[in-house]
Amino acid sequence: DVQLVESGGGLVQAGGSLRLSCAPSEDAGYTFAAPCMSWFRRGSDDERHLVSFLDADGNTYYADSARGRFIISKDNAKPTLYLQMNNLQPEDTGIYYCAAATEIPVCEVSLPLHYYNFWGQGTQVTVSS
């Protein structure tokens, strides 16, 4: 039962840009009030790595690899979570997932994956050199 749906992935050359979107399914709109909404990337190591999060107060976090190039934002009216990715590099290649943690008091970088109780199915991003 998919509750978050990502889109916007694709194939792009190094230096290009993509904007990922994440929208809730009809019965999961409440997830956008979550304390923590995040983007993860699963790369060649098959692990999900935190790329960025946006908490309920509007605070953001970016992994070192994303800082200065990626921008996370949210449109509560739609509702949709975005990840604007600029100056993409081959090492950004992977499957990108959005996730929401609705039952935590505060969003943290070290939040274990199992606290994220809503996930999307992922969208593939491939950056060619």
Side-chain angles (χ1 to χ4, degrees), residues 50-72:
L50 179 65
V51 174
S52 180
F53 73 61
L54 176 64
D55 72 12
D57 294 326
N59 299 308
T60 58
Y61 162 82
Y62 297 96
D64 288 344
S65 60
R67 193 171 298 117
R69 299 187 299 129
F70 295 4
I71 301 171
I72 190 170

Side-chain angles (χ1 to χ4, degrees), residues 5-49:
V5 182
E6 302 97 336
S7 61
L11 173 65
V12 64
Q13 289 187 328
S17 297
L18 286 172
R19 187 176 78 160
L20 306 184
S21 300
C22 171
S25 58
E26 187 173 333
D27 60 349
Y30 63 91
T31 58
F32 272 62
C36 197
M37 294 210 71
S38 302
W39 287 98
F40 289 83
R41 179 179 60 83
R42 190 176 77 182
S44 58
D45 63 356
D46 211 32
E47 298 289 331
R48 296 190 186 194
H49 299 278

Side-chain angles (χ1 to χ4, degrees), residues 4 22-24 28-34 37 74-76 79-82 98 100 102:
L4 295 175
C22 171
Y30 63 91
T31 58
F32 272 62
M37 294 210 71
K74 185 170 68 168
D75 184 337
N76 288 320
T80 303
L81 179 73
Y82 300 101
C98 69
T102 62

